[in-house]
Amino acid sequence: MVVLSQPPALEHCSLIKTCKPTCVFTGIPVIDLRDPEAKTLIVKACEEYGFFKLTNHGVPMEFMTRLEAEALSFFNLPQSDKDKATPFGYGSNKIGPNGDVGWIEYLLVNTNPQLTSLKTLSENFCSYAVNDYILAVKRLAFEVVEIMADGLEIEPRNVLSRLLRDEKSDSCFRLNHYPPCPQLQALSGRNLIGFGEHTDPQIISILRSNNTSGLQICLRDRTWVSVPPDQTSFFISVGDALQVMSNGRLRSVRHRVLTDSMQSRVSMIYFGGPPMSEKIVALPCLMAKGEESLYKEFTWWEYKTCAYNSRLGANRLGLFEKTANASL
């Protein structure tokens, strides 16, 4: 770890991990949502990487740039003003309750329109900027998982999307801001970690960022590679819940974010989750005759509780593997 002086917005964080630079990965699957072969390509990408870039997605660029501008306006406020939003999802440095920290500040809200947190976000931002973007990305999430279901030959095709459409869906939305860190130039080529390595616990994540680099994914051989930014596209990640529901056929992707020395990074992520009471279990239609489930059955509430009570980089699904339990 390296001690750094802090920008005003992150003055309470003193120790953040660094890592060696990695190569830029040019082999990330790029899928046109309107491609007739999209259902096959999406499944293949999720099997091989748990991750892909989505183009021709139908979300207006205006929605993305407008919300990004609103986000930057908020994050550029004096720290005392931002701290007033702490009860409604604002945080900085601290990631979860278990000691993980990063060069980051963020807003995290549930996407249920009846909840106070989303209403407060709409009040602090231009309301239509928030609502237009979230509604558009929700619709995109529904479409992506339905096309995915087609590729997996799941019937009915709304097996996954119904969980996201449910009025009790535990989906959330996160705005991340990674301020520039000029001190990086003195770290002999090392990078500061803005958000440490992890997998997303939900079903699916849909990310859009500005054109500042920083996102990295971990390949099957455990090599970390940088994902070239593209502010016009979305990046789709398989979550842990989907890995379980596909009985390991689709793999959740381990990823992290590094900071830039001169440019701030803003990312907007929709996390599509099921209702709290939903049982997460391998779908019978995706299992061959006689095939056993790799994971024991659990509810989303049980897994979410486990996820948020563990360190960011922990292998949380390992606690639910049947082989692991059998050996206890």
Side-chain angles (χ1 to χ4, degrees):
M1 293 185 178
V2 179
V3 180
L4 297 173
S5 60
Q6 307 303 310
L10 298 171
E11 59 187 3
H12 302 297
C13 187
S14 58
L15 291 173
I16 299 177
K17 292 180 180 179
T18 63
C19 65
K20 294 180 180 180
T22 59
C23 63
V24 175
F25 186 55
T26 57
I28 291 170
V30 180
I31 300 173
D32 182 333
L33 190 60
R34 308 307 161 197
D35 186 330
E37 298 300 317
K39 64 180 182 180
T40 302
L41 297 172
I42 286 175
V43 170
K44 182 179 179 182
C46 292
E47 289 175 337
E48 295 182 0
Y49 299 100
F51 182 86
F52 61 93
K53 177 171 142 179
L54 189 68
T55 64
N56 201 14
H57 44 72
V59 177
M61 188 66 189
E62 177 189 356
F63 290 5
M64 300 185 241
T65 55
R66 190 167 60 197
L67 184 54
E68 179 185 330
E70 291 283 332
L72 283 172
S73 294
F74 173 82
F75 289 124
N76 285 331
L77 289 173
Q79 189 64 41
S80 58
D81 290 343
K82 290 184 288 189
D83 286 341
K84 294 176 184 177
T86 299
F88 308 107
Y90 174 75
S92 63
N93 311 138
K94 187 176 179 182
I95 303 172
N98 303 298
D100 293 293
V101 295
W103 191 266
I104 184 176
E105 57 181 342
Y106 59 86
L107 278 166
L108 176 64
V109 297
N110 191 290
T111 58
N112 186 326
Q114 303 305 315
L115 295 182
T116 303
S117 57
L118 184 58
K119 291 179 179 178
T120 302
L121 179 62
S122 296
E123 290 168 2
N124 281 277
F125 285 42
C126 178
S127 61
Y128 61 80
V130 175
N131 294 331
D132 286 353
Y133 182 85
I134 291 180
L135 286 174
V137 174
K138 275 186 174 182
R139 286 194 292 266
L140 178 60
F142 304 156
E143 185 174 9
V144 168
V145 295
E146 287 179 355
I147 293 175
M148 185 186 297
D150 291 340
L152 292 168
E153 299 183 347
I154 298 175
E155 292 184 359
R157 72 192 300 258
N158 71 341
V159 164
L160 299 173
S161 64
R162 69 173 180 81
L163 302 177
L164 307 185
R165 293 179 186 272
D166 194 297
E167 62 180 9
K168 295 181 179 179
S169 166
D170 184 45
S171 298
C172 59
F173 177 65
R174 184 173 184 125
L175 284 166
N176 287 338
H177 177 229
Y178 304 92
C181 182
Q183 295 93 331
L184 281 176
Q185 295 175 348
L187 294 181
S188 301
R190 295 180 68 85
N191 293 110
L192 192 68
I193 293 180
F195 204 114
E197 65 174 270
H198 64 287
T199 58
D200 295 332
Q202 293 87 355
I203 293 172
I204 190 173
S205 306
I206 299 184
L207 176 145
R208 184 265 174 188
S209 75
N210 62 0
N211 262 350
T212 300
S213 62
L215 177 63
Q216 296 188 330
I217 63 171
C218 187
L219 303 180
R220 292 292 183 89
D221 63 2
R222 299 189 179 182
T223 300
W224 284 99
V225 293
S226 295
V227 178
D230 182 351
Q231 64 182 357
T232 67
S233 302
F234 287 97
F235 293 92
I236 313 298
S237 299
V238 171
D240 293 341
L242 184 54
Q243 177 171 322
V244 173
M245 296 175 76
S246 66
N247 207 34
R249 180 174 172 182
L250 311 183
R251 304 287 294 184
S252 57
V253 61
R254 187 164 287 269
H255 54 287
R256 66 187 182 187
V257 177
L258 308 184
T259 59
D260 189 274
S261 62
M262 301 303 294
Q263 296 179 303
S264 67
R265 175 180 168 88
V266 176
S267 60
M268 307 178 284
I269 314 101
Y270 168 78
F271 300 94
M276 286 290 198
S277 60
E278 186 69 28
K279 291 182 179 179
I280 308 300
V281 64
L283 298 173
C285 58
L286 292 181
M287 298 172 65
K289 185 177 181 180
E291 181 182 356
E292 293 288 333
S293 172
L294 298 176
Y295 306 93
K296 69 177 184 177
E297 183 179 293
F298 52 86
T299 65
W300 169 241
W301 180 86
E302 290 172 323
Y303 188 65
K304 182 178 180 179
T305 300
C306 172
Y308 290 100
N309 284 331
S310 60
R311 293 299 297 266
L312 188 63
N315 176 23
R316 297 171 295 225
L317 274 182
L319 299 174
F320 295 87
E321 292 176 359
K322 283 188 173 180
T323 52
N325 289 308
S327 63
L328 296 178

